[in-house]
Amino acid sequence: MPPRPPPGGGRLLAACYRDGALADLRLGPDGSFDGEPEVHQGEGSGPDPERQEGPHVHAAAFAPDGTVLATDLGADVLRAFRDPGGDGALELVAEVPLPPGCGPRHLVVHPAGQVHVLTELAGTVITLRPGAGGHADLSIVGEAPATAGSAQSGSMGAAIKLGADGRHLYTSTRGADVVTTHLVLDGGAGTRPVADVASGGEWPRDLHVDGAWMHVANQNSGVVATFRLGGDGVPVPAGTPAEIPSPVCVIPA
């Protein structure tokens, strides 16, 4: 999951799933790499012997206060990094344990400050609230299903994105092949799933919300399906899906 860069665009983060590490790369004024990356190796494991035999960093994001947050699907933790010296060198400052076996995958930071984490293995959305220490001081305040209906066995959470107004949140679930609309409660303090909509294909690996539109990358059926978001926030199919071989990520150009 590509993180949003901080103001200035001088840093690029890469979540290394197989190695279980977070790579931090400096960028020059022209966007080229500036020196060797700093690699922050994750540690730990979880109760699922097939998916959680070791650390698997899956996504990273910048919080508004400059904290870097990274999910580790293999160790069931959310890690927080900061640059305490102001020299650009990140340091691990906190680890937030998440429910055992949940497999945290992707995350978004709500404009109100709360962090919403989609779990791949448990099929839930976990909400965390920053404390006095900002986004390096997170605590769990809520957990809700990632789908409005019962997801079939073998389904896995994939993508999580915020709507433009911050009142809705969207997730995709592979296997069930649905996109779910969630209401964001109390200014970001929690979520509630309200509607599942067929993703327009098979294995919806990613989705992108662009104002009143949503685009869903269905990896196994080789299509990107487009939806228009209704007044209630629920996506409605629009037009014919675009045929694209094995689409796995959608980002704005």
Side-chain angles (χ1 to χ4, degrees):
M1 175 183 180
R4 178 179 298 175
R11 165 172 278 145
L12 177 68
L13 303 176
C16 304
Y17 178 86
R18 186 177 298 276
D19 295 337
L22 175 69
D24 177 20
L25 302 97
R26 308 286 183 88
L27 301 178
D30 62 352
S32 62
F33 295 129
D34 183 10
E36 294 296 316
E38 293 182 2
V39 178
H40 302 273
Q41 180 61 51
E43 296 181 352
S45 60
D48 187 326
E50 294 184 358
R51 297 296 309 281
Q52 297 184 306
E53 79 294 345
H56 292 302
V57 177
H58 209 298
F62 292 97
D65 64 359
T67 303
V68 170
L69 302 173
T71 55
D72 191 326
L73 185 150
D76 291 324
V77 298
L78 178 63
R79 296 191 180 94
F81 300 83
R82 277 189 172 170
D83 173 14
D87 57 359
L90 292 179
E91 293 183 9
L92 178 64
V93 294
E95 285 192 337
V96 183
L98 300 179
C102 71
R105 179 178 172 90
H106 285 179
L107 73 156
V108 292
V109 182
H110 191 273
Q114 288 86 352
V115 178
H116 303 293
V117 177
L118 174 66
T119 68
E120 178 171 331
L121 305 182
T124 59
V125 176
I126 298 173
T127 299
L128 302 98
R129 180 176 57 201
H135 284 85
D137 178 21
L138 292 170
S139 57
I140 297 175
V141 294
E143 185 174 8
T147 56
S150 298
Q152 65 191 55
S153 177
S155 292
M156 295 186 290
I160 182 170
K161 301 291 174 66
L162 281 168
D165 59 8
R167 296 187 297 112
H168 296 97
L169 180 147
Y170 300 93
T171 60
S172 65
T173 301
R174 295 164 293 174
D177 294 342
V178 296
V179 172
T180 302
T181 303
H182 304 252
L183 285 178
V184 177
L185 308 175
D186 301 324
T191 62
R192 177 166 60 87
V194 294
D196 297 329
V197 173
S199 66
E202 298 176 4
W203 214 247
R205 182 91 179 228
D206 192 29
L207 64 86
H208 171 64
V209 178
D210 182 10
W213 299 93
M214 174 188 291
H215 309 285
V216 181
N218 291 282
Q219 181 181 1
N220 288 0
S221 54
V223 297
V224 174
T226 295
F227 300 80
R228 186 170 184 88
L229 301 178
D232 57 0
V234 177
V236 178
T240 302
E243 294 187 7
I244 298 174
S246 302
V248 297
C249 186
V250 183
I251 58 175

PDB file of all heavy atoms in Angstrom, residues 155-176:
ATOM      1  N   SER A 155     -12.740 -15.955   3.005  1.00  0.00           N
ATOM      2  CA  SER A 155     -12.687 -14.563   2.559  1.00  0.00           C
ATOM      3  C   SER A 155     -11.587 -13.820   3.305  1.00  0.00           C
ATOM      4  O   SER A 155     -11.268 -14.146   4.457  1.00  0.00           O
ATOM      5  CB  SER A 155     -14.028 -13.871   2.791  1.00  0.00           C
ATOM      6  OG  SER A 155     -15.036 -14.403   1.949  1.00  0.00           O
ATOM      7  N   MET A 156     -11.008 -12.819   2.636  1.00  0.00           N
ATOM      8  CA  MET A 156      -9.909 -12.062   3.225  1.00  0.00           C
ATOM      9  C   MET A 156     -10.068 -10.582   2.940  1.00  0.00           C
ATOM     10  O   MET A 156     -10.347 -10.193   1.801  1.00  0.00           O
ATOM     11  CB  MET A 156      -8.566 -12.548   2.681  1.00  0.00           C
ATOM     12  CG  MET A 156      -8.218 -13.975   3.060  1.00  0.00           C
ATOM     13  SD  MET A 156      -6.551 -14.432   2.526  1.00  0.00           S
ATOM     14  CE  MET A 156      -6.783 -14.497   0.753  1.00  0.00           C
ATOM     15  N   GLY A 157      -9.863  -9.760   3.960  1.00  0.00           N
ATOM     16  CA  GLY A 157      -9.884  -8.322   3.774  1.00  0.00           C
ATOM     17  C   GLY A 157      -8.761  -7.893   2.851  1.00  0.00           C
ATOM     18  O   GLY A 157      -7.699  -8.511   2.794  1.00  0.00           O
ATOM     19  N   ALA A 158      -8.996  -6.815   2.087  1.00  0.00           N
ATOM     20  CA  ALA A 158      -7.984  -6.361   1.128  1.00  0.00           C
ATOM     21  C   ALA A 158      -7.685  -4.881   1.287  1.00  0.00           C
ATOM     22  O   ALA A 158      -6.636  -4.503   1.797  1.00  0.00           O
ATOM     23  CB  ALA A 158      -8.430  -6.676  -0.298  1.00  0.00           C
ATOM     24  N   ALA A 159      -8.603  -4.014   0.844  1.00  0.00           N
ATOM     25  CA  ALA A 159      -8.312  -2.581   0.817  1.00  0.00           C
ATOM     26  C   ALA A 159      -9.233  -1.819   1.764  1.00  0.00           C
ATOM     27  O   ALA A 159     -10.356  -2.249   2.055  1.00  0.00           O
ATOM     28  CB  ALA A 159      -8.477  -2.037  -0.602  1.00  0.00           C
ATOM     29  N   ILE A 160      -8.761  -0.662   2.221  1.00  0.00           N
ATOM     30  CA  ILE A 160      -9.560   0.233   3.050  1.00  0.00           C
ATOM     31  C   ILE A 160      -9.256   1.660   2.618  1.00  0.00           C
ATOM     32  O   ILE A 160      -8.094   2.043   2.494  1.00  0.00           O
ATOM     33  CB  ILE A 160      -9.282   0.020   4.558  1.00  0.00           C
ATOM     34  CG1 ILE A 160     -10.163   0.933   5.411  1.00  0.00           C
ATOM     35  CG2 ILE A 160      -7.802   0.210   4.897  1.00  0.00           C
ATOM     36  CD1 ILE A 160     -10.115   0.588   6.901  1.00  0.00           C
ATOM     37  N   LYS A 161     -10.310   2.429   2.342  1.00  0.00           N
ATOM     38  CA  LYS A 161     -10.151   3.813   1.903  1.00  0.00           C
ATOM     39  C   LYS A 161     -11.245   4.670   2.529  1.00  0.00           C
ATOM     40  O   LYS A 161     -12.348   4.190   2.805  1.00  0.00           O
ATOM     41  CB  LYS A 161     -10.236   3.925   0.372  1.00  0.00           C
ATOM     42  CG  LYS A 161      -9.180   3.105  -0.378  1.00  0.00           C
ATOM     43  CD  LYS A 161      -7.782   3.640  -0.201  1.00  0.00           C
ATOM     44  CE  LYS A 161      -6.733   2.740  -0.820  1.00  0.00           C
ATOM     45  NZ  LYS A 161      -6.800   2.634  -2.282  1.00  0.00           N
ATOM     46  N   LEU A 162     -10.959   5.952   2.698  1.00  0.00           N
ATOM     47  CA  LEU A 162     -11.935   6.902   3.219  1.00  0.00           C
ATOM     48  C   LEU A 162     -12.662   7.589   2.077  1.00  0.00           C
ATOM     49  O   LEU A 162     -12.083   7.848   1.018  1.00  0.00           O
ATOM     50  CB  LEU A 162     -11.244   7.961   4.075  1.00  0.00           C
ATOM     51  CG  LEU A 162     -10.866   7.576   5.496  1.00  0.00           C
ATOM     52  CD1 LEU A 162      -9.930   8.620   6.091  1.00  0.00           C
ATOM     53  CD2 LEU A 162     -12.114   7.438   6.377  1.00  0.00           C
ATOM     54  N   GLY A 163     -13.947   7.891   2.307  1.00  0.00           N
ATOM     55  CA  GLY A 163     -14.667   8.721   1.373  1.00  0.00           C
ATOM     56  C   GLY A 163     -14.192  10.160   1.483  1.00  0.00           C
ATOM     57  O   GLY A 163     -13.559  10.560   2.478  1.00  0.00           O
ATOM     58  N   ALA A 164     -14.523  10.964   0.479  1.00  0.00           N
ATOM     59  CA  ALA A 164     -14.019  12.332   0.425  1.00  0.00           C
ATOM     60  C   ALA A 164     -14.508  13.188   1.582  1.00  0.00           C
ATOM     61  O   ALA A 164     -13.802  14.103   2.025  1.00  0.00           O
ATOM     62  CB  ALA A 164     -14.422  12.964  -0.911  1.00  0.00           C
ATOM     63  N   ASP A 165     -15.710  12.897   2.099  1.00  0.00           N
ATOM     64  CA  ASP A 165     -16.253  13.728   3.172  1.00  0.00           C
ATOM     65  C   ASP A 165     -15.913  13.224   4.565  1.00  0.00           C
ATOM     66  O   ASP A 165     -16.268  13.864   5.568  1.00  0.00           O
ATOM     67  CB  ASP A 165     -17.770  13.858   3.025  1.00  0.00           C
ATOM     68  CG  ASP A 165     -18.480  12.495   3.052  1.00  0.00           C
ATOM     69  OD1 ASP A 165     -17.815  11.482   3.337  1.00  0.00           O
ATOM     70  OD2 ASP A 165     -19.700  12.459   2.794  1.00  0.00           O
ATOM     71  N   GLY A 166     -15.236  12.095   4.660  1.00  0.00           N
ATOM     72  CA  GLY A 166     -14.870  11.549   5.958  1.00  0.00           C
ATOM     73  C   GLY A 166     -16.016  10.893   6.700  1.00  0.00           C
ATOM     74  O   GLY A 166     -15.827  10.382   7.809  1.00  0.00           O
ATOM     75  N   ARG A 167     -17.224  10.883   6.095  1.00  0.00           N
ATOM     76  CA  ARG A 167     -18.383  10.277   6.765  1.00  0.00           C
ATOM     77  C   ARG A 167     -18.550   8.810   6.419  1.00  0.00           C
ATOM     78  O   ARG A 167     -19.302   8.093   7.070  1.00  0.00           O
ATOM     79  CB  ARG A 167     -19.661  11.037   6.405  1.00  0.00           C
ATOM     80  CG  ARG A 167     -19.684  12.465   6.894  1.00  0.00           C
ATOM     81  CD  ARG A 167     -21.042  13.126   6.671  1.00  0.00           C
ATOM     82  NE  ARG A 167     -21.365  13.211   5.246  1.00  0.00           N
ATOM     83  CZ  ARG A 167     -22.339  12.530   4.656  1.00  0.00           C
ATOM     84  NH1 ARG A 167     -23.060  11.663   5.363  1.00  0.00           N
ATOM     85  NH2 ARG A 167     -22.592  12.666   3.365  1.00  0.00           N
ATOM     86  N   HIS A 168     -17.858   8.372   5.361  1.00  0.00           N
ATOM     87  CA  HIS A 168     -17.937   6.978   4.953  1.00  0.00           C
ATOM     88  C   HIS A 168     -16.539   6.399   4.777  1.00  0.00           C
ATOM     89  O   HIS A 168     -15.589   7.124   4.468  1.00  0.00           O
ATOM     90  CB  HIS A 168     -18.713   6.835   3.639  1.00  0.00           C
ATOM     91  CG  HIS A 168     -20.136   7.243   3.730  1.00  0.00           C
ATOM     92  ND1 HIS A 168     -20.578   8.500   3.353  1.00  0.00           N
ATOM     93  CD2 HIS A 168     -21.234   6.570   4.172  1.00  0.00           C
ATOM     94  CE1 HIS A 168     -21.881   8.578   3.554  1.00  0.00           C
ATOM     95  NE2 HIS A 168     -22.299   7.432   4.047  1.00  0.00           N
ATOM     96  N   LEU A 169     -16.468   5.110   4.987  1.00  0.00           N
ATOM     97  CA  LEU A 169     -15.232   4.359   4.813  1.00  0.00           C
ATOM     98  C   LEU A 169     -15.579   3.144   3.966  1.00  0.00           C
ATOM     99  O   LEU A 169     -16.683   2.596   4.065  1.00  0.00           O
ATOM    100  CB  LEU A 169     -14.678   3.967   6.180  1.00  0.00           C
ATOM    101  CG  LEU A 169     -13.376   3.180   6.265  1.00  0.00           C
ATOM    102  CD1 LEU A 169     -12.620   3.592   7.524  1.00  0.00           C
ATOM    103  CD2 LEU A 169     -13.646   1.682   6.317  1.00  0.00           C
ATOM    104  N   TYR A 170     -14.626   2.708   3.126  1.00  0.00           N
ATOM    105  CA  TYR A 170     -14.896   1.607   2.206  1.00  0.00           C
ATOM    106  C   TYR A 170     -13.826   0.524   2.357  1.00  0.00           C
ATOM    107  O   TYR A 170     -12.633   0.825   2.488  1.00  0.00           O
ATOM    108  CB  TYR A 170     -14.934   2.107   0.764  1.00  0.00           C
ATOM    109  CG  TYR A 170     -16.001   3.153   0.540  1.00  0.00           C
ATOM    110  CD1 TYR A 170     -15.701   4.506   0.646  1.00  0.00           C
ATOM    111  CD2 TYR A 170     -17.311   2.776   0.267  1.00  0.00           C
ATOM    112  CE1 TYR A 170     -16.691   5.468   0.471  1.00  0.00           C
ATOM    113  CE2 TYR A 170     -18.306   3.727   0.094  1.00  0.00           C
ATOM    114  CZ  TYR A 170     -17.985   5.068   0.196  1.00  0.00           C
ATOM    115  OH  TYR A 170     -18.969   6.014   0.034  1.00  0.00           O
ATOM    116  N   THR A 171     -14.284  -0.728   2.326  1.00  0.00           N
ATOM    117  CA  THR A 171     -13.360  -1.859   2.359  1.00  0.00           C
ATOM    118  C   THR A 171     -13.724  -2.822   1.230  1.00  0.00           C
ATOM    119  O   THR A 171     -14.864  -2.861   0.764  1.00  0.00           O
ATOM    120  CB  THR A 171     -13.428  -2.623   3.690  1.00  0.00           C
ATOM    121  OG1 THR A 171     -14.763  -3.127   3.890  1.00  0.00           O
ATOM    122  CG2 THR A 171     -13.048  -1.730   4.855  1.00  0.00           C
ATOM    123  N   SER A 172     -12.732  -3.594   0.793  1.00  0.00           N
ATOM    124  CA  SER A 172     -12.996  -4.675  -0.162  1.00  0.00           C
ATOM    125  C   SER A 172     -12.612  -5.994   0.496  1.00  0.00           C
ATOM    126  O   SER A 172     -11.669  -6.059   1.283  1.00  0.00           O
ATOM    127  CB  SER A 172     -12.223  -4.468  -1.469  1.00  0.00           C
ATOM    128  OG  SER A 172     -10.820  -4.545  -1.262  1.00  0.00           O
ATOM    129  N   THR A 173     -13.373  -7.035   0.152  1.00  0.00           N
ATOM    130  CA  THR A 173     -13.144  -8.364   0.718  1.00  0.00           C
ATOM    131  C   THR A 173     -13.057  -9.382  -0.405  1.00  0.00           C
ATOM    132  O   THR A 173     -14.013  -9.557  -1.177  1.00  0.00           O
ATOM    133  CB  THR A 173     -14.267  -8.755   1.693  1.00  0.00           C
ATOM    134  OG1 THR A 173     -14.333  -7.783   2.753  1.00  0.00           O
ATOM    135  CG2 THR A 173     -14.009 -10.125   2.294  1.00  0.00           C
ATOM    136  N   ARG A 174     -11.903 -10.025  -0.501  1.00  0.00           N
ATOM    137  CA  ARG A 174     -11.692 -11.057  -1.515  1.00  0.00           C
ATOM    138  C   ARG A 174     -12.353 -12.360  -1.074  1.00  0.00           C
ATOM    139  O   ARG A 174     -12.454 -12.634   0.106  1.00  0.00           O
ATOM    140  CB  ARG A 174     -10.190 -11.276  -1.725  1.00  0.00           C
ATOM    141  CG  ARG A 174      -9.469 -10.068  -2.295  1.00  0.00           C
ATOM    142  CD  ARG A 174      -7.971 -10.167  -2.119  1.00  0.00           C
ATOM    143  NE  ARG A 174      -7.593 -10.087  -0.707  1.00  0.00           N
ATOM    144  CZ  ARG A 174      -6.347 -10.271  -0.249  1.00  0.00           C
ATOM    145  NH1 ARG A 174      -5.370 -10.570  -1.093  1.00  0.00           N
ATOM    146  NH2 ARG A 174      -6.102 -10.168   1.030  1.00  0.00           N
ATOM    147  N   GLY A 175     -12.775 -13.145  -2.036  1.00  0.00           N
ATOM    148  CA  GLY A 175     -13.515 -14.370  -1.719  1.00  0.00           C
ATOM    149  C   GLY A 175     -15.005 -14.075  -1.714  1.00  0.00           C
ATOM    150  O   GLY A 175     -15.758 -14.624  -2.521  1.00  0.00           O
ATOM    151  N   ALA A 176     -15.438 -13.207  -0.818  1.00  0.00           N
ATOM    152  CA  ALA A 176     -16.817 -12.720  -0.850  1.00  0.00           C
ATOM    153  C   ALA A 176     -17.028 -11.814  -2.058  1.00  0.00           C
ATOM    154  O   ALA A 176     -18.148 -11.666  -2.549  1.00  0.00           O
ATOM    155  CB  ALA A 176     -17.147 -11.964   0.432  1.00  0.00           C
TER     156      ALA A 176
END
